[in-house]
Amino acid sequence: MAATYLGEFAALATAVCWTFTAIAFEASGKRIGSLAVNLFRLVIAFFFLAVFNYFRRGLFLPVDATGHQWFWLALSGILGFTLGDMALFQAFVTIGARVSLLLMSLVPPLAALLSWIFLGESLGLQNFTGMCVTLLGISLVILGRETAEGSKTRGSLSLSYSWQGVVLAIIGALGQASGLVMSKHGMQDYNPFEASQIRVLSGIIGFALLFSFWKKWGRVTRGLKDSKAIGILSIGAFFGPFLGVSFSLMAVQHANTGVASTIMALTPVLIIPFSVWFFSEKLKWKEVIGAFLA
């Protein structure tokens, strides 16, 4: 039975890992900035993966991957890590990890749509119904009604959170969804931990190029001086790009992409008690209901 649902169990493990990593990256991002966090966590995760793969297979680098696997996994790393996570981590700083991860509930419907278009995976009425329910849950949290000052009359709908943060989180969801689909297409039967290493390496290269173009290396070197942030970041890197991403690849390898990404999207529910505990966030009932609904 366990082997039958290996992909689903891996997806659940991913959701748990991403809960811890989101908390760690929000805390460290507020100290040293989201750009530095993005690069540091990938470098740390790369060495975690290198050591793990060496003891497991005797290879520090995935040199046994085919050209097809290198191309598609590297491309998924650029889209998922460099572009998608850069937007998501800035959203963490702007609107917080809890709301950002709720918006990441868009990943399952986006992944299902992309898998239907590019991989030919089935998409029926149940899938479309699920997408509508997900959007309803998200809308319940991020939308509110404007009221005139001193008036109890409800007005038009408006965003309850910064629109910049909402847009950044949606871009992050699109990057992760496209990264998952490309990973599944490129990985085939390759080991998920070696596949993760290729994705992480391409993400590091992508950020290095962006930092050079934007001339942001000074921010990176300043971030290295914050030992507390680096410590928190290391925990996030262990649960995120090392364990979480590897489990996510295992999930899409052994289960339908839409099903796997739906289970991974439990993170917005799992993170609720941590957001109250670590960041003293005050929750509204509609936000809790919206998270469970999504």
Side-chain angles (χ1 to χ4, degrees):
M1 180 67 72
T4 305
Y5 294 102
L6 178 61
E8 287 80 358
F9 282 126
L12 183 58
T14 302
V16 174
C17 287
W18 282 349
T19 299
F20 289 110
T21 199
I23 294 291
F25 289 157
E26 179 180 348
S28 55
K30 287 178 177 178
R31 293 180 66 91
I32 62 175
S34 62
L35 284 176
V37 167
N38 266 296
L39 181 61
F40 290 158
R41 53 107 191 201
L42 290 181
V43 172
I44 294 168
F46 180 81
F47 284 104
F48 278 143
L49 287 163
V51 171
F52 178 82
N53 290 333
Y54 177 76
F55 283 105
R56 187 176 177 277
R57 299 181 69 224
L59 295 173
F60 269 114
L61 293 171
V63 292
D64 58 338
T66 65
H68 172 89
Q69 289 162 340
W70 269 99
F71 176 80
W72 287 104
L73 288 170
L75 186 58
S76 76
I78 293 291
L79 289 175
F81 285 134
T82 306
L83 300 180
D85 282 359
M86 181 172 61
L88 175 62
F89 283 30
Q90 186 56 43
F92 282 173
V93 177
T94 307
I95 57 176
R98 180 177 58 83
V99 177
S100 298
L101 288 177
L102 176 63
L103 285 159
M104 293 297 283
S105 299
L106 288 170
V107 172
L110 288 172
L113 279 172
L114 291 172
S115 296
W116 176 53
I117 295 170
F118 296 107
L119 303 183
E121 292 188 355
S122 60
L123 193 63
L125 179 62
Q126 186 178 8
N127 300 103
F128 283 107
T129 303
M131 293 175 194
C132 293
V133 173
T134 299
L135 290 171
L136 177 62
I138 292 172
S139 300
L140 193 63
V141 175
I142 67 170
L143 294 179
R145 288 192 177 275
E146 290 182 331
T147 57
E149 191 173 348
S151 172
K152 294 183 179 179
T153 306
R154 290 186 176 183
S156 59
L157 285 174
S158 63
L159 285 174
S160 301
Y161 296 90
S162 160
W163 70 266
Q164 293 96 332
V166 170
V167 170
L168 286 166
I170 292 173
I171 293 172
L174 184 58
Q176 189 175 117
S178 58
L180 277 174
V181 173
M182 289 186 180
S183 293
K184 181 163 187 172
H185 177 66
M187 182 169 47
Q188 298 172 331
D189 59 351
Y190 195 53
N191 183 274
F193 285 89
E194 278 81 15
S196 289
Q197 196 174 11
I198 295 175
R199 294 190 73 216
V200 167
L201 180 60
S202 67
I204 292 172
I205 294 171
F207 275 114
L209 291 173
L210 284 179
F211 285 175
S212 298
F213 180 75
W214 289 337
K215 299 179 180 178
K216 296 289 186 181
W217 286 107
R219 184 176 298 182
V220 175
T221 54
R222 285 194 297 272
L224 282 171
K225 298 175 183 177
D226 192 327
S227 57
K228 184 175 181 179
I230 297 299
I232 298 171
L233 189 55
S234 298
I235 296 171
F238 179 80
F239 283 103
F242 174 46
L243 284 184
V245 173
S246 299
F247 281 138
S248 73
L249 296 186
M250 187 183 297
V252 297
Q253 187 178 50
H254 294 280
N256 177 280
T257 309
V259 172
S261 56
T262 299
I263 298 173
M264 293 178 211
L266 283 170
T267 306
V269 176
L270 298 178
I271 202 174
I272 289 174
F274 293 96
S275 295
V276 174
W277 186 17
F278 285 108
F279 300 114
S280 302
E281 289 192 19
K282 294 181 180 179
L283 300 178
K284 300 175 183 176
W285 275 110
K286 73 164 190 171
E287 295 180 341
V288 177
I289 294 169
F292 273 92
L293 190 59

